[in-house]
Amino acid sequence: MTDFIFLIPLMPLVGFTILFCTLGNLPKPWVAFVGVGSIGTSALIVALLGVEFLSTKDHAPILVHLYTWMNLGGFQPGFSFYVDGLTLTMMFVITGVGLLIHIYSSLFMQDDEDYSRFFSYMNLFVAAMLVLVLADNLLLLFLGWEGVGLCSYLLVGFWYQDPANGVAARKAFIVTRIGDTFMALGLFLLYMHLGTLDIQAMVDKAALTWVTGDTTVTLACLLLVGGAVGKSAQLPLQTWLPDAMAGPTPVSALIHAATMVTAGVYLIARTHELFLLSPVALNVVAIIGATTLLMAAFTALTQSDIKRILAYSTISQIGYMFLALGVGAWASGIFHLMTHAFFKALLFLAAGAVIYSLHHEHNIFKMGGLRARLPVAFWSFLIGSAALAALPFTSGFYSKDAILLSAWQSGPLGPGLWAAGLLGALLTAVYSFRLVFIVFFGEVKTVPDKPAGWLMAGPLVILCGLSLVGGWFIIPVSQVFPAAADVSHDGLIPIITPAIPILGVVLAWLIFLRRSVDVSGLTESTWGKALTHFWFSHWKMDWLYDHLFVKPYSFITYLNRRDIVDWFYNALAEVLWFVHDIAATSQTGQLRTYAVVMLFGVVTLIGIFIGVRLT
């Protein structure tokens, strides 16, 4: 299948081109056929490639060079694809989960008049993400990186008729551009010192050029981290992701589960040899992950919008992946990326089924009693929430448990990182089952008006299975990452780690379902209200950025509303017109006037000449 690797990103790109060029004139069944079929073809090629790759004993990487992109002074980046175990895992997630989301979308978006435009954007999104993970050099990776940024803007603002959606799309685009700028600077720095952006050659030269802890490699890694936190919505550039819920629900599932937010995790994992040369950068990654997962978990606990709860849970779970990368648990981080794709896609699509059936209602407190009326959505939420909470024997349990145990044994920061991750696990269990108990138990507040069809139920059932058994999968990354130290299962830590999520579910049951534990005294107190409001507002991060950056910039633009550059050129033009008017007054058309002026000029010149001679 090596000769067909180029078709993996090409097929979604062809689907986009067909849908884009037909300008929405194709019948909806044909649109669905092109949109879903292009992703299905890529998924089939990935599956066949995976069988061939895994059948080899050494899992040797595959390099496919298509052509040289440019040749500038010896800089010759190519359109070349590199396939190893990490690439293959990412492609399975992107095309497999992406295909299920596309199938689901074919019914969910059926009533939208821009059905064709939606699938064209979705196809382009998948194509860009596939280029990103297949690239054998950082410049081609950056092309895919910018591609997913563009597509996120298009999809978040898909319903552009509502100005709020346009604001959310611009916010996603601008905030992630900040990270992209850091990443671009990192690429310049790496090329300046190593002379190449080919990933394998670059890491080999880095090992020969720098020693562990070198300032330059630390700076380069921190710049790459700047790009990663933008795309993966980690502190301090995480504020765009909750607002990205303005897009259609399948978009949320694709962004949060299979594509964009995993790009930063992939970037760090792909360049892990660089990060191994910078312990400082690794510590920064771990601390960012631990801090972000706690901040997002507390925020999710106070939300009432079903999609925003899941959005903050995504930020929190990506934080666990950063924590894993920062403590050197590379395989565990990628494993959690895969399992998270299963249960987060399941939760978003199940949320879409609920919204679809409840007149597009998003407020969980206007739902209730849906367990019997929407059984597929209920079981999907129950299984997805169990995996999100990392309950034993779900897919999330195996990946998150490995991350926390690795954090405990990672060094001086280990116990603190483990404690942060454990508190995050407790909060995750509480807010995820708070969602389940409020939406699916209790009295009915909104009656469903239409059930989800099989095109929506089918992907949910498959994702339910993957969320349960996905933890049994073995990802082929042993040849990619250095051998990890064995995680000890002795002592109390391996017992405490899985017990905490169970405790969280029990707390959620006592508080939100059985209501035998009354927390209203805490939440209604003065400090409780203040704290709840603080968490609800995402720890005032948007307020802070508005006052630090947005309002000062708006004030400057107000002062500059007439444009100082235009003012300069207009003033210059006015001066020239003034000089022209003065000069024009001397053009009288009278010969004697001209003769007098000439005589005066001659006398002046003679006077100057005599004066110079006398001195």
Side-chain angles (χ1 to χ4, degrees):
M1 295 300 299
T2 303
D3 294 337
F4 298 98
I5 289 176
F6 76 97
L7 291 176
I8 296 173
L10 181 62
M11 293 309 299
L13 187 60
V14 169
F16 159 76
T17 304
I18 293 172
L19 296 174
F20 179 79
C21 292
T22 53
L23 301 176
N25 293 319
L26 286 179
K28 287 185 177 179
W30 280 98
V31 171
F33 176 77
V34 172
V36 178
S38 60
I39 305 299
T41 303
S42 292
L44 177 61
I45 298 172
V46 170
L48 295 175
L49 177 64
V51 172
E52 180 180 304
F53 181 85
L54 296 175
S55 64
T56 61
K57 293 182 179 180
D58 57 354
H59 295 171
I62 303 169
L63 179 62
V64 178
H65 179 74
L66 300 179
Y67 63 91
T68 300
W69 187 355
M70 61 185 78
N71 188 346
L72 298 173
F75 179 51
Q76 300 180 23
F79 264 84
S80 303
F81 297 148
Y82 182 84
V83 178
D84 60 4
L86 175 59
T87 309
L88 194 63
T89 301
M90 294 297 298
M91 288 196 297
F92 271 124
V93 170
I94 296 165
T95 59
V97 177
L99 174 60
L100 295 175
I101 294 171
H102 274 70
I103 294 172
Y104 176 98
S105 303
S106 64
L107 177 60
F108 186 88
M109 298 296 293
Q110 184 72 41
D111 297 331
D112 198 287
E113 61 181 11
D114 288 323
Y115 194 68
S116 179
R117 181 166 63 88
F118 173 81
F119 274 103
S120 69
Y121 291 169
M122 292 281 276
N123 276 194
L124 184 61
F125 204 157
V126 173
M129 190 66 191
L130 287 169
V131 169
L132 190 157
V133 300
L134 277 165
D136 88 318
N137 65 82
L138 289 179
L139 187 62
L140 184 59
L141 184 150
F142 194 66
L143 175 66
W145 188 274
E146 292 299 291
V148 296
L150 168 65
C151 294
S152 70
Y153 169 78
L154 296 173
L155 286 167
V156 170
F158 180 75
W159 289 318
Y160 60 87
Q161 296 85 353
D162 185 347
N165 295 343
V167 171
R170 291 194 297 275
K171 183 177 181 179
F173 191 77
I174 293 170
V175 173
T176 55
R177 290 292 78 70
I178 296 171
D180 296 353
T181 302
F182 283 109
M183 181 178 172
L185 292 173
L187 300 190
F188 284 127
L189 182 62
L190 288 170
Y191 181 76
M192 183 173 66
H193 285 272
L194 302 177
T196 182
L197 291 180
D198 291 344
I199 297 173
Q200 303 310 311
M202 182 188 69
V203 297
D204 290 340
K205 288 187 177 182
L208 298 174
T209 304
W210 295 313
V211 297
T212 301
D214 191 289
T215 303
T216 305
V217 70
T218 297
L219 178 58
C221 288
L222 291 177
L223 289 171
L224 294 182
V225 171
V229 298
K231 278 289 186 290
S232 290
Q234 298 292 284
L235 278 170
L237 300 178
Q238 83 288 4
T239 56
W240 67 269
L241 192 59
D243 292 341
M245 297 301 97
T249 299
V251 172
S252 304
L254 191 63
I255 290 177
H256 289 240
T259 55
M260 185 166 168
V261 295
T262 62
V265 178
Y266 172 78
L267 173 66
I268 296 175
R270 174 55 72 196
T271 57
H272 69 276
E273 290 98 334
L274 291 178
F275 283 84
L276 288 173
L277 294 172
S278 177
V280 171
L282 283 178
N283 287 336
V284 169
V285 171
I287 293 170
I288 287 174
T291 308
T292 305
L293 72 89
L294 283 177
M295 174 183 281
F298 276 110
T299 305
L301 198 58
T302 63
Q303 300 297 309
S304 58
D305 185 300
I306 189 171
K307 286 177 65 176
R308 288 183 76 87
I309 294 171
L310 297 179
Y312 284 111
S313 80
T314 295
I315 297 174
S316 184
Q317 296 307 302
I318 299 294
Y320 277 103
M321 298 175 206
F322 268 64
L323 174 60
L325 298 176
V327 300
W330 311 102
S332 297
I334 298 302
F335 190 38
H336 194 58
L337 184 154
M338 180 188 71
T339 59
H340 174 260
F342 298 152
F343 60 73
K344 187 50 60 68
L346 173 63
L347 286 169
F348 266 110
L349 296 187
V354 172
I355 294 168
Y356 179 83
S357 302
L358 295 185
H359 325 287
H360 297 281
E361 180 60 64
H362 285 233
N363 191 332
I364 62 173
F365 295 108
K366 295 182 180 180
M367 304 175 186
L370 299 176
R371 184 173 73 261
R373 289 174 169 81
L374 298 174
V376 175
F378 166 66
W379 285 105
S380 298
F381 251 103
L382 187 62
I383 293 171
S385 297
L388 173 60
L391 295 185
F393 310 113
T394 63
S395 62
F397 164 75
Y398 295 101
S399 55
K400 191 179 291 185
D401 186 64
I403 292 172
L404 292 177
L405 292 179
S406 297
W408 172 261
Q409 300 175 189
S410 63
L413 296 178
L417 297 173
W418 173 81
L422 203 63
L423 178 57
L426 175 68
L427 295 173
T428 301
V430 173
Y431 73 67
S432 58
F433 277 86
R434 165 183 177 261
L435 179 59
V436 171
F437 294 144
I438 291 175
V439 172
F440 294 99
F441 292 83
E443 62 176 306
V444 177
K445 298 177 183 177
T446 305
V447 178
D449 63 344
K450 53 186 175 181
W454 69 268
L455 286 174
M456 292 171 64
L460 291 175
V461 172
I462 295 172
L463 287 168
C464 281
L466 292 172
S467 297
L468 289 174
V469 305
W472 300 348
F473 297 166
I474 299 175
I475 57 175
V477 295
S478 58
Q479 303 296 323
V480 180
F481 302 121
D486 291 335
V487 176
S488 174
H489 290 274
D490 298 328
L492 291 177
I493 298 302
I495 299 174
I496 296 173
T497 301
I500 290 298
I502 298 174
L503 174 62
V505 175
V506 173
L507 285 175
W509 176 68
L510 293 173
I511 297 171
F512 301 108
L513 183 58
R514 190 175 179 182
R515 299 186 184 280
S516 58
V517 175
D518 186 8
V519 295
S520 60
L522 296 175
T523 58
E524 296 301 321
S525 64
T526 302
W527 68 269
K529 288 182 178 179
L531 193 58
T532 300
H533 177 71
F534 180 66
W535 289 345
F536 181 83
S537 66
H538 196 180
W539 298 49
K540 294 292 185 180
M541 291 292 291
D542 282 316
W543 177 90
L544 178 64
Y545 288 168
D546 281 345
H547 283 77
L548 285 180
F549 304 112
V550 178
K551 289 185 178 180
Y553 182 80
S554 298
F555 178 69
I556 292 171
T557 57
Y558 173 77
L559 295 178
N560 192 38
R561 61 190 181 278
R562 296 183 183 275
D563 195 338
I564 192 171
V565 176
D566 282 349
W567 176 88
F568 172 77
Y569 286 111
N570 290 337
L572 181 62
E574 291 292 336
V575 170
L576 293 176
W577 274 112
F578 177 73
V579 173
H580 169 268
D581 289 340
I582 293 176
T585 58
S586 66
Q587 306 300 313
T588 63
Q590 298 178 354
L591 182 60
R592 55 187 168 184
T593 301
Y594 296 157
V596 171
V597 170
M598 292 174 63
L599 180 62
F600 177 77
V602 171
V603 171
T604 301
L605 289 173
I606 292 172
I608 293 172
F609 178 76
I610 294 173
V612 171
R613 295 286 294 178
L614 291 176
T615 58

